[in-house]
């Protein structure tokens, strides 16, 4: 799962762009999660801040590579991945719904809410797809 603020880069804009480089991640755990992504992996897109809902799907089309937005004085290697926009969920899955759901309430989305890139288990993904109307 990747998070974005819809006011900065919405899923609708992502769909218009068709693909994007998921840059700017500056958290060590999120970096590990980016590097673990494989070509073809399904990714949920979460609108943070205002919407607080999982709103769509994307697919990894290029695995982790050095983030071109890194400032020259940054000594740590940061990475990004390229994503292809997929379908919008017919019914966005709100954070409130995730927190209340017995199978989803322990997702990293809830447990590590500030993490901008986090894994989703196969069982969680199946349930999110179902709740989202897919």
């Amino acid at each position: 799962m990747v998070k974005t603020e819809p006011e900065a880069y919405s899923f609708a804009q992502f769909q218009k762009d068709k693909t994007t480089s998921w840059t700017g991640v500056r958290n060590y755990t999120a970096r590990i999660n980016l590097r673990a992504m494989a070509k073809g992996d399904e990714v949920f897109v979460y609108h943070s801040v205002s919407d607080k809902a999982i709103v769509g799907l994307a697919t990894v089309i290029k695995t982790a590579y050095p983030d071109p937005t890194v400032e020259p004085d940054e000594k740590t290697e940061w990475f990004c991945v390229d994503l292809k926009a997929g379908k919008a969920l017919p019914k966005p899955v709100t954070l409130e719904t995730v927190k209340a759901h017995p199978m989803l309430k322990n997702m990293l989305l809830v447990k590590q809410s500030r993490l901008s890139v986090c894994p989703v288990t196969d069982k969680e993904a199946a349930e999110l797809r179902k709740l989202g109307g897919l």
Side-chain angles (χ1 to χ4, degrees), residues 40-113:
D41 280 355
E42 181 179 71
V43 178
F44 288 91
V45 179
Y46 177 84
H47 274 178
S48 61
V49 185
S50 56
D51 294 346
K52 295 185 181 175
I54 300 163
V55 295
L57 298 172
T59 304
V60 176
I61 56 173
K62 184 176 180 183
T63 58
Y65 61 94
D67 186 333
T69 67
V70 170
E71 296 294 326
D73 62 339
E74 288 185 88
K75 296 178 183 175
T76 306
E77 279 192 52
W78 296 109
F79 294 87
C80 63
V81 296
D82 288 353
L83 300 175
K84 178 181 178 183
K87 296 179 182 181
L89 295 182
K91 181 181 175 190
V93 181
T94 65
L95 180 60
E96 184 178 299
T97 298
V98 171
K99 286 180 174 180
H101 194 288
M103 183 191 301
L104 303 175
K105 66 182 180 182
N106 291 315
M107 286 182 65
L108 287 179
L109 173 65
V110 175
K111 296 296 182 184
Q112 291 185 317
S113 61

Side-chain angles (χ1 to χ4, degrees), residues 1-2 14 20 22 32-45 56-64 81-87 117-122 125 129:
M1 179 178 304
V2 295
F14 180 20
T20 193
W22 208 262
I32 291 167
N33 295 334
L34 275 175
R35 291 181 75 183
M37 290 181 174
K39 190 172 181 178
D41 280 355
E42 181 179 71
V43 178
F44 288 91
V45 179
L57 298 172
T59 304
V60 176
I61 56 173
K62 184 176 180 183
T63 58
V81 296
D82 288 353
L83 300 175
K84 178 181 178 183
K87 296 179 182 181
V117 179
C118 56
V120 175
T121 68
D122 290 342
R129 276 190 226 94

